[in-house]
Amino acid sequence: SKWTEQRRANAVFYQKGLIDLSNIQVPMDKEYEKAVYHTFVIQCEGRDELKKYLSDNGIETAIHYPIPIHLQKVAKGLGYKRGTLPVTERQAERILSLPIYPELKTEDMEYVVSHIRNFLKNKR
């Protein structure tokens, strides 16, 4: 659909704008995949600081699934504890969803990318 193709185009814009940053991990399609990018979730150190910085500059982000499923109340009976799935737990501390909706303008995404880059430059 046109809606999905625009989300995919937005994802490519973010990928090109952020891929060279060593502190940011961006989602990338494998050659056999074609993600719809319902969300565009980056991973980064200092996620909470970055989220606040972006918010202070008018950029709304989200943290989808901040508590891994194995640590949620519903899974308590399964016996999982913190440390059981360390990769999942680390990702939950690093994930941040950027705006990706189809109606985003190029200027909006340039603003997001430039603020992420500025944040990381000033953090060094």
Side-chain angles (χ1 to χ4, degrees):
S1 76
K2 187 175 181 177
W3 182 81
T4 297
E5 290 310 313
Q6 189 57 53
R7 281 182 177 270
R8 288 183 51 74
N10 292 351
V12 168
F13 186 94
Y14 282 138
Q15 290 162 343
K16 288 180 178 175
L18 301 172
I19 193 71
D20 65 311
L21 300 172
S22 60
N23 303 45
I24 300 287
Q25 185 178 348
V26 296
M28 300 291 290
D29 286 5
K30 302 232 182 331
E31 56 201 46
Y32 53 85
E33 296 175 324
K34 191 171 180 182
V36 297
Y37 290 104
H38 170 69
T39 57
F40 190 85
V41 184
I42 62 170
Q43 292 185 50
C44 61
E45 296 299 323
R47 182 265 322 268
D48 294 339
E49 293 172 67
L50 176 58
K51 181 172 177 36
K52 181 179 182 334
Y53 175 80
L54 294 175
S55 177
D56 289 348
N57 285 281
I59 300 168
E60 185 178 340
T61 60
I63 301 170
H64 289 92
Y65 318 112
I67 301 171
I69 291 174
H70 71 286
L71 297 178
Q72 292 183 16
K73 288 180 186 176
V74 71
K76 190 171 185 161
L78 299 175
Y80 293 112
K81 303 208 178 327
R82 185 161 296 284
T84 303
L85 300 173
V87 173
T88 300
E89 293 165 26
R90 178 159 164 67
Q91 287 176 340
E93 295 168 354
R94 295 171 38 92
I95 57 174
L96 185 65
S97 298
L98 302 182
I100 189 78
Y101 55 92
E103 297 81 13
L104 270 176
K105 296 181 174 74
T106 301
E107 307 85 64
D108 298 329
M109 291 182 293
E110 286 172 347
Y111 186 79
V112 172
V113 168
S114 69
H115 276 79
I116 291 172
R117 296 182 80 85
N118 287 340
F119 173 81
L120 292 174
K121 184 172 62 175
N122 294 330
K123 196 170 179 190
R124 289 183 192 151

